């Protein structure tokens, strides 16, 4: 097999990427089709679909794998079979995601000649991800409302996110401040910390960093008196 395209993503690092697609709707990406697939005929009619299946390679994951893995959803301690999970550590490192198709571009762009670009939204794809195949999402056959979801029966909890005055000031200097702020909130609301850190009490002392678009977002986690978790953005630094 050979890749049909490459992802240009708002996620430059693995850390912070939502564990499932659709959890951060403001996450954007461009899927650049590669020759000989960068022919407008290859995507003729695709604009009629709102969502796509993207089949890709976990290119930044190690090639080694084990039969048992520790899914973050179970706290990073319980073990389950690799084929009972969506772990990136898989025998063939293949992944699939349902993403929103936000637009289609063909022809020249930024001085480039030809080419096909699919604009994606709500994805969970690392920058540079090789895409192996693209298929339309068909809700009447692909969605199964009464399906069982095993140990992940509901979406993950969402936490409150706050911004320091310094972080707010940096955001407001940017042209894309509204969309970047929304993306930061969506990513941090899901608590991107390692599962074994998330299982411990959060005192707001340890600082974490997650890269989004072209900035390094530095944040802490703090347990509130009511038992809720608050993700506090301390600083936003140009990466």
């Amino acid at each position: 097999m050979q890749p049909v395209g490459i992802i240009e993503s708002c996620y430059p690092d693995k850390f912070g990427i939502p564990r499932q697609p659709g959890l951060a709707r403001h996450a954007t990406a461009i899927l650049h089709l590669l020759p000989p697939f960068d022919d407008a005929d290859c995507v003729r009619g695709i604009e009629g679909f709102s969502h796509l299946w993207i089949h890709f390679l976990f290119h930044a994951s190690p090639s080694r794998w084990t039969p048992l893995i520790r899914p973050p959803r179970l706290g990073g301690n319980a073990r389950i079979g690799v084929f009972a999970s969506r772990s990136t550590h898989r025998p063939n490192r293949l992944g699939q995601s349902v993403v929103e198709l936000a637009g289609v571009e063909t022809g020249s762009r930024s001085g480039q000649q030809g080419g096909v670009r699919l604009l994606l939204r709500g994805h969970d794809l690392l920058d540079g991800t090789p895409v192996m195949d693209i298929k339309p999402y068909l809700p009447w056959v692909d969605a199964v409302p009464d399906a069982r979801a095993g140990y992940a029966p509901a979406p993950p909890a969402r936490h409150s996110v706050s911004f320091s005055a310094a972080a707010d000031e940096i955001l407001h200097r940017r042209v894309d401040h509204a969309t970047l702020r929304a993306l930061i909130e969506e990513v941090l609301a899901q608590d991107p910390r390692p599962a074994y850190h998330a299982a411990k009490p959060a005192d707001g002392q340890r600082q974490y960093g997650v890269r989004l678009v072209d900035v390094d977002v530095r944040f802490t986690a703090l347990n509130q008196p009511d038992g809720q978790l608050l993700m506090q953005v301390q600083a936003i630094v140009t990466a």
Side-chain angles (χ1 to χ4, degrees):
M1 294 193 296
Q2 62 176 317
V4 302
I6 294 291
I7 291 291
E8 179 185 341
S9 171
C10 62
Y11 298 123
D13 290 336
K14 290 189 293 182
F15 181 70
I17 296 180
R19 296 185 175 105
Q20 305 296 340
L23 297 179
R25 292 199 64 254
H26 286 83
T28 58
I30 302 175
L31 170 47
H32 299 267
L33 295 190
L34 299 173
F37 315 107
D38 58 342
D39 184 326
D41 282 346
C42 288
V43 295
R44 183 184 299 180
I46 201 171
E47 66 278 357
F49 299 92
S50 66
H51 291 74
L52 303 173
W53 283 106
I54 302 296
H55 302 270
F56 60 94
L57 187 68
F58 288 114
H59 69 296
S61 295
S63 57
R64 65 182 184 277
W65 67 279
T66 59
L68 295 175
I69 59 96
R70 297 184 176 97
R73 196 58 181 272
L74 294 178
N77 292 316
R79 295 172 182 265
I80 63 169
V82 63
F83 297 135
S85 80
R86 296 194 178 194
S87 169
T88 61
H89 296 65
R90 317 190 67 80
N92 290 311
R93 295 194 294 172
L94 292 174
Q96 63 177 12
S97 292
V98 174
V99 302
E100 181 181 352
L101 177 62
V104 181
E105 293 182 346
T106 59
S108 62
R109 177 175 181 260
S110 300
Q112 298 176 359
Q113 297 297 318
V116 175
R117 296 162 295 279
L118 303 183
L119 311 183
L120 310 180
R121 191 158 48 211
H123 69 97
D124 59 345
L125 303 168
L126 179 66
D127 190 53
T129 293
V131 172
M132 310 308 291
D133 199 9
I134 306 161
K135 296 186 180 73
Y137 176 86
L138 302 177
W140 51 270
V141 68
D142 292 334
V144 187
D146 57 349
R148 289 183 290 117
Y151 56 85
R158 301 184 71 87
H159 308 291
S160 298
V161 180
S162 68
F163 292 77
S164 69
D168 256 332
E169 182 180 352
I170 294 296
L171 276 177
H172 281 293
R173 294 177 187 170
R174 296 178 58 105
V175 174
D176 62 345
H177 66 90
T179 55
L180 180 56
R181 183 188 182 99
L183 177 61
I184 293 171
E185 290 178 340
E186 290 170 343
V187 169
L188 296 191
Q190 299 166 59
D191 190 358
R193 297 176 300 155
Y196 64 92
H197 284 193
K200 299 177 181 178
D203 58 9
Q205 297 301 308
R206 181 162 185 165
Q207 189 174 87
Y208 300 85
V210 57
R211 292 185 63 198
L212 298 173
V213 191
D214 61 348
V215 298
D216 182 10
V217 180
R218 298 174 184 174
F219 68 96
T220 60
L222 179 65
N223 286 122
Q224 300 293 283
D226 60 0
Q228 300 299 309
L229 185 66
L230 175 65
M231 313 303 289
Q232 300 176 314
V233 179
Q234 304 294 333
I236 297 176
V237 181
T238 301

